[in-house]
Amino acid sequence: MGITAFALLALAVFVSGPTRAAPAPRPPGAPDDPFLCYRVRAFGMPRFTPIPAVPVAGPLGPLTAHVTRPMWLCNPADVNARRVVDAATALEGYRIQPPMAAVPQRTLQVTNEFGPLRTEIGRPDDLLVPTAESLDSDPPLPAASDVDRYACHRLRLVTDGPPFAHIEGVRLTDQFGTRYLDLTTPRHLCAPVSNDGAGIKHLSGYFLCYRAQLSLAAPHAALGPARQLHTNNEFGPGRLAAIRQAELCVPSVRTPAPRGCFSRDSSPTGFDAIVAAGFTVIDTGTDPGVVNALPAGRRALVWLGNYDNTTCTWERSDDWVVANVGLLAGNPKVEAYNLADEPRLWQCPSAVRDLAARSALVKSLDPGRPTFAVIQPHFPENPYAPYVGTVDIIGVDRYPCSWAAGCVYAKIDETIGLLEAAKVPRYWAVVQAFADSYYRWPTVEELHEEFRHWRASRMEGYVVFSWAYLGDSLANHPDVLSALTAENGS
């Protein structure tokens, strides 16, 4: 259906419904149009022949997928009277079978006009490709467009987050009519991919797909009769019958992961150079003036003093915590409260209990912000299992590069396995960028390799150790600093 026909249909079909507040702006970098996806049945000729190995790659990693059959037809849709940018390009969805270990499960936060959502994604099960459609005959291949291909991953809400609130009364117009939909639960996160080396048009643009059902609170038009279509795309022509509307895919972007750096730089503020390098989380104390002085887009990892492994007590009292966290409670520039650096259970049997009590105290004062502690690897026991539930986020400091052994990245992989075995719900990597008598500075390539291993995990963010340590500084290593700046921008 062409642009003119779509526009006429949108004007001709009018449905009155509930008054809604104006939608929030679509985030920059998101795809242009939403898509309403229908479950479909293939019929007639030609029949689809499964494709055994389609390599695709995107921001969530590469995979080689077995494309089995058509599953979806996704129409560009006018949602809440925003209008459609490209009404000529649809998306046809194919069920795929990726290798079992194709993409690790991970937690991501995405945002769109309906707000932010933190989800856990797994393996992809569908591949969406730009498609031309016609009511009468096989159309030519779709014209060049700004629409990407997408690998769609099944998702679920994180268990430690709030329940999903239904989004009701979304007004939608596509080529089959106008109606009001309720979005009842998130089902897929679709990431842009390339399978021909041509690149990705919108690398930061995703779709968050919600299960959609007709709203009972508003009248709606029945679907139009023209529901059998001819399609054509890179996998060949076909004929599809749209069975039922299933999911509304809303243009979305990933919220950048926290990118932190321990210590401070030598600028007057202590963070000018750190901010210039692209770090978004700044190591601070509890001074509200310092926290409030952070520039837009930067937040504080607030240090509350350490746990003393020789006395098995806190350096700062509960009364000090009450007084100082109270000054920051509710401050939107606080990313998290940093409670301890390597409390050692093998030295202090009470360390886990003490950390849990300190975390509970902080959260009673500022329930809207997570607590954080760096936990040191210690063997042969799983070092992370005892700490699950003590703080919201565990910092993981397994450094791969030493003077004696070089860089052993298997240490990172082994640590990721320990985190998964312990079922740690949220963790940040502590990335090595320092040296001492045992550890050595990583080279630029070695630093990038650290990130490649960590990014294959479920880490929600990272903190680099360290801007300044033992009289040395990242400012003295411009090649490493440049590599970190590049990683912060990726």
Side-chain angles (χ1 to χ4, degrees):
M1 182 175 291
I3 295 176
T4 302
F6 185 96
L8 290 174
L9 178 59
L11 291 171
V13 183
F14 175 78
V15 182
S16 62
T19 301
R20 293 179 53 87
R26 211 158 271 160
D32 291 327
D33 294 316
F35 285 82
L36 181 61
C37 295
Y38 297 81
R39 287 293 301 270
V40 296
R41 173 178 55 84
F43 70 98
M45 299 298 289
R47 296 189 182 279
F48 180 74
T49 301
I51 305 172
V54 176
V56 298
L60 298 187
L63 63 98
T64 300
H66 177 51
V67 180
T68 61
R69 65 185 188 278
M71 285 289 294
W72 310 93
L73 178 66
C74 302
N75 287 333
D78 178 340
V79 171
N80 289 331
R82 284 189 181 275
R83 297 185 299 177
V84 168
V85 174
D86 180 359
T89 306
L91 289 166
E92 187 169 346
Y94 296 84
R95 179 55 46 88
I96 61 174
Q97 295 177 346
M100 288 298 293
V103 177
Q105 193 174 69
R106 68 185 75 180
T107 300
L108 301 175
Q109 180 162 302
V110 294
T111 190
N112 57 38
E113 62 200 80
F114 298 121
L117 194 70
R118 195 163 146 262
T119 66
E120 190 172 82
I121 67 164
R123 297 166 58 230
D125 58 7
D126 294 303
L127 180 65
L128 306 180
V129 299
T131 296
E133 58 180 49
S134 169
L135 299 176
D136 306 314
S137 59
D138 290 342
L141 287 170
S145 73
D146 217 25
V147 180
D148 278 307
R149 306 171 182 87
Y150 295 88
C152 295
H153 300 247
R154 293 297 294 266
L155 60 79
R156 62 182 180 182
L157 294 179
V158 294
T159 56
D160 62 342
F164 177 73
H166 289 189
I167 302 167
E168 298 181 346
V170 177
R171 184 183 186 275
L172 182 142
T173 298
D174 72 350
Q175 65 174 309
F176 295 143
T178 297
R179 68 221 86 142
Y180 286 85
L181 300 176
D182 293 341
L183 310 184
T184 61
T185 187
R187 293 297 305 276
H188 286 96
L189 182 68
C190 301
V193 295
S194 172
N195 70 348
D196 60 2
I200 294 172
K201 302 177 183 71
H202 299 286
L203 187 62
S204 62
Y206 291 68
F207 284 110
L208 183 58
C209 301
Y210 305 83
R211 177 180 285 168
Q213 64 185 31
L214 291 173
S215 176
L216 300 179
H220 56 83
L223 293 183
R227 297 176 61 192
Q228 294 187 356
L229 300 166
H230 299 258
T231 63
N232 199 5
N233 58 43
E234 63 195 74
F235 295 146
R239 297 196 67 187
L240 301 176
I243 300 172
R244 66 180 185 275
Q245 60 201 7
E247 297 182 22
L248 177 63
C249 296
V250 178
S252 305
V253 294
R254 274 179 68 182
T255 305
R259 294 159 161 81
C261 187
F262 284 122
S263 190
R264 306 297 289 276
D265 61 45
S266 59
S267 68
T269 65
F271 52 72
D272 286 353
I274 294 173
V275 168
F279 290 103
T280 62
V281 175
I282 311 301
D283 186 9
T284 76
T286 57
D287 183 346
V290 174
V291 173
N292 291 328
L294 295 177
R298 269 58 181 184
R299 301 175 75 181
L301 180 61
V302 178
W303 176 237
L304 298 183
N306 211 358
Y307 187 78
D308 189 328
N309 290 305
T310 60
T311 64
C312 301
T313 59
W314 293 103
E315 290 180 347
R316 290 169 174 163
S317 68
D318 286 354
D319 289 342
W320 184 94
V321 170
V322 170
N324 284 271
V325 172
L327 298 174
L328 293 171
N331 191 321
K333 289 200 169 183
V334 173
E335 177 72 33
Y337 292 98
N338 186 2
L339 306 190
D341 181 23
E342 300 183 342
R344 295 175 180 173
L345 180 60
W346 62 96
Q347 287 182 242
C348 297
S350 64
V352 170
R353 182 176 68 249
D354 294 341
L355 185 61
R358 176 56 56 98
S359 179
L361 174 61
V362 171
K363 292 182 72 64
S364 73
L365 300 166
D366 193 356
R369 294 291 175 264
T371 54
F372 171 92
V374 175
I375 303 303
Q376 181 181 5
H378 185 64
F379 302 93
E381 302 86 1
N382 187 315
Y384 306 109
Y387 293 94
V388 172
T390 59
V391 291
D392 297 304
I393 303 168
I394 286 178
V396 187
D397 59 345
R398 190 78 189 279
Y399 303 133
C401 299
S402 68
W403 295 106
C407 293
V408 182
Y409 304 108
K411 292 182 179 180
I412 297 176
D413 301 334
E414 179 185 40
T415 302
I416 293 168
L418 290 168
L419 292 162
E420 295 305 316
K423 295 181 169 52
V424 175
R426 302 177 64 184
Y427 58 88
W428 294 357
V430 181
V431 176
Q432 181 189 353
F434 77 99
D436 61 16
S437 60
Y438 181 82
Y439 295 107
R440 69 159 172 80
W441 283 92
T443 66
V444 166
E445 181 52 39
E446 288 166 347
L447 181 71
H448 287 311
E449 189 65 21
E450 279 191 71
F451 277 97
R452 280 190 281 270
H453 282 257
W454 278 118
R455 285 195 165 112
S457 75
R458 287 191 299 107
M459 73 165 186
E460 291 188 11
Y462 56 82
V463 188
V464 170
F465 189 86
S466 170
W467 187 274
Y469 184 63
L470 296 180
D472 203 355
S473 167
L474 278 170
N476 298 328
H477 300 267
D479 54 341
V480 175
L481 180 56
S482 177
L484 285 169
T485 304
E487 291 288 349
N488 289 336
S490 64

